[in-house]
Amino acid sequence: MTRHLLQLEGLDEHQLSALLDRADALLPVARREAPASKSLSGRLVAHLFFEDSTRTRLSFETAAARLGARSIVLTENGSSTSKGETFLDTALNVEALGVDAIVVRTGLSGGPQLLARHVACPVINAGDGRHEHPTQGLLDCLTIRRSCGAIKGATVAIVGDIANSRVARSAVHALTTLGAHVRLIGPPTLLPASLKQLTPHPDRVTISHDLDSNLGDLQAIMMLRVQLERAAGGAIGSDYRIQFGLTRERASRLPASCIVMHPGPVNRGVEVDDDVADDRRRSQILSQVTHGVAVRMAVLEHCLEAGQAPRAG
Ligand code: NCD
């Protein structure tokens, strides 16, 4: 793995497991059961968020703080992009400030790759358009590994707007590489059959347009938000919840040990019913958030080669 984290596609089992192992080891810090580390003391991380974010942005900032690094944040609202400055120029100027890493979220699929070709510091993708959301994929894997014991051999359903979901793309790459079977489930308009070819392991992916017949043997079910901002609205019917929502009745047909996941933000009463989202026996939605801090600590450490002295000047 390079010092950038741009996508999970292409990372092998060993590289993914090493990041998950490190995140697992850092989890007590994320949970505030162990003291914060100083491994990135003196480092400065820039967080460029050109799309809205609650969890991911605060999670990266929290992770940097728990490693002793400082953060600066730029959001699209209030930046000079409104004056016509390009995405790349903005990043080059941020690098010229002397930052040690750039965390970036953008609506432009491939935007982080573009930056990584032009800046010298590590670039970490915090979600790019419909492409990938690698730290979300890692935190989803950590959640399944910790709750289910192992990823290899687990059957995981990902339900909803797969076509527009960077979360699904990163999860499919990581989960299939680590030996899980992934069931992609959604309406045909949001789940083209070509998505089976997303991974080098298409034999570990099945596609279904019927949620009801796929509930009985799952270890984990990951519900996705319909990405209205990516024009998915026209592709769903008003009966979305009836067909693809994880209602209380459907949840009762899951195996007792099956966990419920969602990357957030949750549209309660659409993709997940209140009772299911709030069921602390099954729902891992808040644990995913804590796991995200540990994962981002592991990624920042890796990309910034923790322990080395900050660059002179
Ligand atoms: C997701 C995102 O922004 O890609 N959320 C997240 O990062 N936790 C998914 C979404 O917005 O639905």
Side-chain angles (χ1 to χ4, degrees):
M1 199 180 129
T2 67
R3 70 213 150 84
H4 305 298
L5 180 67
L6 303 175
Q7 56 186 34
L8 297 185
E9 180 177 5
L11 297 194
D12 64 24
E13 191 175 344
H14 171 76
Q15 291 167 319
L16 291 168
S17 298
L19 284 171
L20 294 178
D21 290 346
R22 185 61 188 143
D24 223 330
L26 288 164
L27 198 50
V29 181
R31 286 182 172 150
R32 299 196 300 151
E33 294 162 3
S37 147
K38 292 275 169 273
S39 64
L40 293 185
S41 170
R43 303 299 191 92
L44 184 62
V45 179
H47 308 262
L48 311 188
F49 275 73
F50 298 117
E51 271 195 351
D52 292 345
S53 175
T54 297
R55 276 150 295 273
T56 306
R57 182 183 137 192
L58 293 179
S59 177
F60 267 111
E61 285 187 68
T62 304
R66 297 258 183 260
L67 294 169
R70 305 196 79 152
S71 290
I72 53 173
V73 180
L74 183 71
T75 56
E76 180 152 78
N77 205 346
S79 78
S80 286
T81 51
S82 65
K83 300 178 185 170
E85 189 167 46
T86 67
F87 172 62
L88 180 56
D89 275 339
T90 303
L92 289 171
N93 279 267
V94 168
E95 188 189 32
L97 294 172
V99 302
D100 295 289
I102 294 178
V103 174
V104 62
R105 166 168 287 196
T106 169
L108 188 66
S109 299
Q113 278 81 353
L114 173 73
L115 295 195
R117 285 199 295 277
H118 288 88
V119 301
C121 68
V123 175
I124 300 170
N125 181 0
D128 63 323
R130 294 180 174 82
H131 175 229
E132 277 221 36
H133 192 348
T135 55
Q136 179 72 42
L138 289 168
L139 78 85
D140 291 336
C141 287
L142 185 62
T143 303
I144 293 168
R145 197 169 88 164
R146 290 187 62 86
S147 301
C148 307
I151 292 175
K152 200 179 177 79
T155 301
V156 180
I158 305 180
V159 183
D161 181 5
I162 315 283
N164 293 297
S165 176
R166 54 196 178 202
V167 173
R169 275 178 181 69
S170 289
V172 169
H173 283 300
L175 288 169
T176 55
T177 302
L178 293 169
H181 299 279
V182 176
R183 245 174 242 168
L184 299 176
I185 303 168
T189 43
L190 297 177
L191 177 51
S194 57
L195 287 182
K196 197 173 161 68
Q197 304 304 326
L198 260 182
T199 103
H201 309 284
D203 53 312
R204 296 182 192 160
V205 179
T206 52
I207 289 200
S208 171
H209 304 302
D210 178 44
L211 180 56
D212 285 309
S213 60
N214 278 292
L215 295 169
D217 60 346
L218 300 174
Q219 274 76 56
I221 183 165
M222 194 188 297
M223 306 306 295
L224 299 175
R225 184 177 65 86
V226 176
Q227 307 268 304
L228 294 173
E229 74 277 29
R230 300 191 211 292
I236 60 162
S238 54
D239 56 352
Y240 183 85
R241 175 180 173 272
I242 296 171
Q243 282 196 69
F244 294 103
L246 190 54
T247 58
R248 187 206 293 208
E249 189 281 318
R250 282 201 178 98
S252 73
R253 289 190 274 132
L254 292 167
S257 58
C258 177
I259 59 168
V260 171
M261 299 166 64
H262 193 303
V266 174
N267 278 320
R268 288 170 174 265
V270 182
E271 65 266 5
V272 184
D273 277 5
D274 277 344
D275 288 357
V276 182
D278 297 334
D279 178 356
R280 287 301 185 101
R281 287 166 309 149
R282 272 194 202 286
S283 172
Q284 295 295 312
I285 297 172
L286 294 177
S287 300
Q288 286 176 267
V289 177
T290 310
H291 294 162
V293 175
V295 156
R296 289 168 182 126
M297 288 174 77
V299 168
L300 284 169
E301 249 190 15
H302 173 88
C303 293
L304 284 147
E305 293 163 333
Q308 291 193 8
R311 280 182 294 166

